[in-house]
Amino acid sequence: MIKLLTVIGARPQIIKAAAISRTIKNKYAGTIQEMILHTGQHYDQNMSQVFIEELGIPQPNYNLGVGSGKHGEQTAKMIAGIEEVLLSEHFDGILLYGDTNSTLAGAVAASKIHVPIMHVEAGLRSYNMAMPEEVNRIVCDQLSSILFSPTETGIRNLKKEGFFESTAKFQNGKYRQVVNCGDVMYDNSLFFSKMAQEKCDILNRLGLTKNGYILSTIHRDNNTDDKKRLTSIFSALLDIAERDKIDIILPLHPRTKKLLPTNLEPEIYKRLLSSERIRILPPASFFEIIELERNARLIMTDSGGVQKEAFFFERPCVILRPETEWVEIVEHGAGIIVDANYDKIIAAYIELTGKKICFPQLFGDGKAAEHIIETILNYLTK
Ligand code: UD1
């Protein structure tokens, strides 16, 4: 029996892990034992437990309960906790997802005690070193035994960084492997969207109709923590909603909710509070968010995951960041990068509502989780 430790911590990791857990349970239960460690980076019920229940992930075997804190402090607590678990029983490998502080902590802890690291969502780059996520993903890629890239772009990035010529050898005598396996989030969107249609009545509850609203999410620290940027984004949202008499549905990350009163210009904050068009909701569950995405006229977001789901559900996307790791969305004209610039947000909204867009299959064949497991089994058993 192969024993793997999956590390989750932030909301998107719980969702990504669902694809692999499901595949192990359905197809490899006799070969792989998966144990789950939750760092506790996200701890609110609606940022964590709700996803574990809805997506049918086994309850974590370990919960470090780390909570919020400064980057170093939060990451250090996680490294110590993960190390303890890795030393307490034997694991053949550790599965890490994406680019959060939980990913970084898992990579640092496992690399020092020679547990092979399998990084799902490797190779992505924004080339913006000011983003904590960029630092996390670069370090994790360097320390990984198997790098699972979701796209061709990821493979190209790793080539540029010399990963294919690397002679780095790990303690088990093996060299690094780099694989384009497709995107586990695409697997999930295919798998869960039918279920969400049947089980989730959020559109009815909110009185929304297909194509009758815009969906927006905002949580990146460079948007939430910067008064000018946050005010500029919200001014644009308010103006679009009022001018076109269209509702903007805004499920809000706790970080953003906390910062709105202090970081929005008072006049914009007042307008937001009295606006009937901008509808602020608590963070959505996965079924709720995919139902909201699937039926929106357009999506405005600074989230990497939501950008991609917009593409999977063939919705145009205004990207509220200075750059993106998902460059293929922009290259195919399905998304426009606007940073936090008021004029660019308005112009992109107008351009994307008026044009025909094509959405080719760029994120794999919907079986990324299976390709990942097969590669891991080959690596560990041959
Ligand atoms: C983290 C990831 C980011 C990912 C995002 C998804 C890092 C560096 N960033 O950002 O890549 O896109 O998760 O959501 O790991 N908070 C709560 N309740 C919670 C969780 C957070 O109130 O359950 C608040 C706290 O004030 C906390 C702040 O949100 O300080 C930020 O949380 P943190 O996990 O540090 O980063 P995110 O912004 O969520």
Side-chain angles (χ1 to χ4, degrees), residues 10-12 41-44 47 68 71 74 99-101 132-133 136 219-220 253-255 258:
R11 178 171 61 177
Q41 177 171 353
H42 285 173
Y43 43 88
D44 284 358
M47 293 292 285
S68 306
H71 282 281
Q74 187 186 50
D99 54 21
T100 71
N101 289 344
E133 292 82 3
N136 294 344
H219 80 278
R220 291 268 162 212
H253 188 292
R255 166 197 279 286
K258 253 181 243 169

Side-chain angles (χ1 to χ4, degrees), residues 327-344:
V327 290
E328 39 288 280
I329 295 175
V330 178
E331 283 162 8
H332 282 82
I336 298 180
I337 293 173
V338 295
D339 204 357
N341 180 299
Y342 174 92
D343 294 328
K344 285 189 187 166

Side-chain angles (χ1 to χ4, degrees), residues 24-35:
I24 293 177
K25 192 170 124 216
N26 293 343
K27 281 192 132 177
Y28 299 89
T31 332
I32 298 176
Q33 182 192 3
E34 183 192 31
M35 309 267 284

Side-chain angles (χ1 to χ4, degrees), residues 29-155:
T31 332
I32 298 176
Q33 182 192 3
E34 183 192 31
M35 309 267 284
I36 297 180
L37 181 152
H38 194 318
T39 61
Q41 177 171 353
H42 285 173
Y43 43 88
D44 284 358
Q45 167 79 13
N46 57 13
M47 293 292 285
S48 173
Q49 189 55 30
V50 100
F51 295 92
I52 292 176
E53 282 162 19
E54 191 172 59
L55 307 185
I57 301 168
Q59 284 299 330
N61 304 84
Y62 299 96
N63 196 323
L64 303 182
V66 157
S68 306
K70 296 194 283 291
H71 282 281
E73 185 190 0
Q74 187 186 50
T75 311
K77 282 189 196 155
M78 292 181 197
I79 294 173
I82 296 170
E83 181 177 62
E84 207 158 294
V85 170
L86 289 175
L87 290 173
S88 70
E89 50 185 312
H90 171 80
F91 288 98
D92 297 291
I94 186 167
L95 265 164
L96 302 176
Y97 293 89
D99 54 21
T100 71
N101 289 344
S102 299
T103 318
L104 173 67
V108 174
S111 63
K112 295 291 179 80
I113 44 181
H114 316 300
V115 176
I117 298 168
M118 289 103 192
H119 185 203
V120 177
E121 230 178 54
L124 299 180
R125 298 289 183 266
S126 64
Y127 297 104
N128 175 357
M129 290 301 287
M131 284 177 74
E133 292 82 3
E134 184 74 353
V135 175
N136 294 344
R137 53 172 87 99
I138 288 174
V139 176
C140 186
D141 280 350
Q142 286 294 339
L143 301 179
S144 293
S145 287
I146 318 184
L147 290 89
F148 292 107
S149 168
T151 56
E152 262 317 301
T153 311
I155 298 287

Side-chain angles (χ1 to χ4, degrees), residues 201-261:
D201 66 345
I202 187 149
L203 255 56
N204 275 343
R205 261 190 286 135
L206 297 178
L208 301 171
T209 53
K210 192 168 179 66
N211 290 325
Y213 63 93
I214 292 169
L215 173 69
S216 181
T217 77
I218 298 152
H219 80 278
R220 291 268 162 212
D221 59 0
N222 72 330
N223 284 333
T224 57
D225 301 5
D226 182 320
K227 293 186 178 180
K228 245 177 102 186
R229 293 177 66 92
L230 197 66
T231 297
S232 162
I233 291 172
F234 273 89
S235 308
L237 294 185
L238 282 161
D239 287 353
I240 288 169
E242 279 157 25
R243 195 195 67 178
D244 281 9
K245 304 205 175 355
I246 183 161
D247 284 3
I248 300 188
I249 305 300
L250 192 64
L252 219 49
H253 188 292
R255 166 197 279 286
T256 319
K257 188 169 174 232
K258 253 181 243 169
L259 290 167
L260 282 181

Side-chain angles (χ1 to χ4, degrees), residues 298-361:
L298 176 136
I299 295 175
M300 296 185 162
T301 187
D302 60 7
S303 150
V306 175
Q307 269 171 59
K308 239 175 344 161
E309 282 155 4
F311 192 89
F312 301 156
F313 296 122
E314 307 196 344
R315 306 285 101 190
C317 186
V318 175
I319 301 168
L320 300 166
R321 288 188 37 197
E323 73 285 301
T324 178
E325 300 80 32
W326 308 104
V327 290
E328 39 288 280
I329 295 175
V330 178
E331 283 162 8
H332 282 82
I336 298 180
I337 293 173
V338 295
D339 204 357
N341 180 299
Y342 174 92
D343 294 328
K344 285 189 187 166
I345 297 173
I346 305 280
Y349 163 70
I350 294 170
E351 183 179 335
L352 286 170
T353 13
K355 92 175 191 192
K356 235 187 134 36
I357 301 166
C358 87
F359 297 88
Q361 206 179 25

